[in-house]
Amino acid sequence: MTDASTSHLVLIPSYNTGPKLFETVRAARAHWAPVWVVVDGSTDSTGEKLRAMAADDPHLRVLELPVNRGKGAAILHGLEEAERCGFTHALTMDADGQHPADRIPQFQGVSMANPDALVLGRPVFDAGAPRLRVGGRKISNWWANLETLWGGIGDSLFGFRVYPIKPLRMVMRRNPWMRRFDFDPEAAVRLCWAGLPTINVPAPVRYFKAEEGGVSHFNYVRDNALLTWMHTRLMLGFIGRLPMLTVRRVRSRPIRSFLR
């Protein structure tokens, strides 16, 4: 893609992703412009190499945080700069190559046609997907749908999605959470609470093994504890919002179409 969008960008947070990051960035740039990468305190020299790539590509921008703050904090940093530059929407994708770069134009197109909506990726897993990860996300998805009174979240953990920047920034600035692994599910729930319609679009996801260059910073104990605390506070928020969500549920239905 050579013509850069002035409203929709691709935002990639990265922490010590290694060579997979460069593959991801090249794939994203092949399908969209502009692409921004937020290097979240990485110590693997990826920031330096990205800056060299950006020097030869006017549609690639690198933002760097001095220390690791977490996925949500890195995305917020990128959103603030993007809004300052006039962008209205951001497609977020992981840096480890799991998300399908060739689907970027489709997702951005859906967002452009529905600018008020939250466009959520609905993962389609291949045979190599870890059963524990796939099974565990079903639990998180059930809680997220309960917390929104089944407001249309097809998958709460899949980070390949398009956010309207302004409402997401407002939600994040109003609470101190959503800064680490809890970002994706809490962002979806809170934006549903804020009244954003949802559109779920299927997208393939691929898990890479270590010998294939796959990198994962997921810690089953730490991050599952983080998700448990997140759903606990979201349930408390849900109780207070139950009358409003019930009325909304009766009066209108969210956009829940699963595009093919």
Side-chain angles (χ1 to χ4, degrees):
M1 181 176 177
T2 56
D3 295 330
S5 171
T6 58
S7 61
H8 288 61
L9 56 77
V10 172
L11 189 61
I12 306 175
S14 175
Y15 172 66
N16 286 353
T17 316
K20 275 294 177 187
L21 170 61
F22 309 114
E23 295 178 21
T24 300
V25 171
R26 292 188 186 99
R29 274 292 294 114
H31 294 283
W32 198 259
V35 172
W36 289 12
V37 182
V38 182
V39 180
D40 185 23
S42 294
T43 57
D44 61 355
S45 75
T46 49
E48 179 181 353
K49 295 178 181 178
L50 278 174
R51 289 195 300 273
M53 289 176 62
D56 297 324
D57 184 349
H59 299 313
L60 174 61
R61 183 174 178 185
V62 182
L63 305 175
E64 296 186 70
L65 297 174
V67 295
N68 178 251
R69 299 180 183 174
K71 179 179 182 179
I75 288 177
L76 178 58
H77 181 74
L79 293 176
E80 290 175 334
E81 178 63 14
E83 190 170 46
R84 189 187 70 81
C85 293
F87 291 95
T88 58
H89 294 73
L91 181 148
T92 58
M93 64 184 297
D94 291 350
D96 57 7
Q98 291 186 6
H99 295 163
D102 62 338
R103 300 298 177 94
I104 293 174
Q106 179 192 11
F107 274 63
Q108 299 283 45
V110 171
S111 175
M112 290 176 178
N114 303 272
D116 295 331
L118 171 62
V119 182
L120 297 169
R122 181 173 179 262
V124 178
F125 297 103
D126 62 15
R131 290 186 178 182
L132 190 59
R133 296 286 294 274
V134 175
R137 73 192 306 122
K138 293 180 180 178
I139 299 173
S140 184
N141 289 340
W142 187 88
W143 280 109
N145 279 289
L146 173 61
E147 291 151 2
T148 58
L149 212 59
W150 279 263
I153 299 175
D155 190 278
S156 63
L157 291 170
F158 196 46
F160 191 75
R161 50 178 65 164
V162 186
Y163 292 103
I165 292 175
K166 185 174 181 179
L168 178 56
R169 279 197 62 225
M170 291 176 62
V171 163
M172 294 189 75
R173 283 304 178 192
R174 282 199 296 260
N175 74 87
W177 312 108
M178 305 167 61
R179 300 304 191 264
R180 294 194 176 276
F181 187 73
D182 55 351
F183 169 76
D184 290 316
E186 189 159 356
V189 169
R190 290 190 179 276
L191 288 175
C192 280
W193 285 352
L196 270 67
T198 56
I199 303 177
N200 295 277
V201 185
V205 58
R206 180 180 178 186
Y207 285 89
F208 291 93
K209 299 177 181 179
E211 55 269 24
E212 298 175 305
V215 177
S216 175
H217 300 294
F218 181 80
N219 182 288
Y220 281 97
V221 175
R222 178 198 64 203
D223 291 325
N224 279 317
L226 184 65
L227 289 177
T228 299
W229 163 232
M230 177 200 70
H231 284 301
T232 299
R233 64 175 181 269
L234 288 178
M235 277 303 298
L236 294 174
F238 164 72
I239 293 170
R241 292 174 174 83
L242 183 57
M244 176 270 291
L245 292 172
T246 301
V247 171
R248 182 187 296 169
R249 183 71 169 156
V250 171
R251 289 181 176 177
S252 63
R253 297 178 65 84
I255 303 175
R256 299 187 63 183
S257 59
F258 288 79
L259 305 182
R260 297 185 181 276

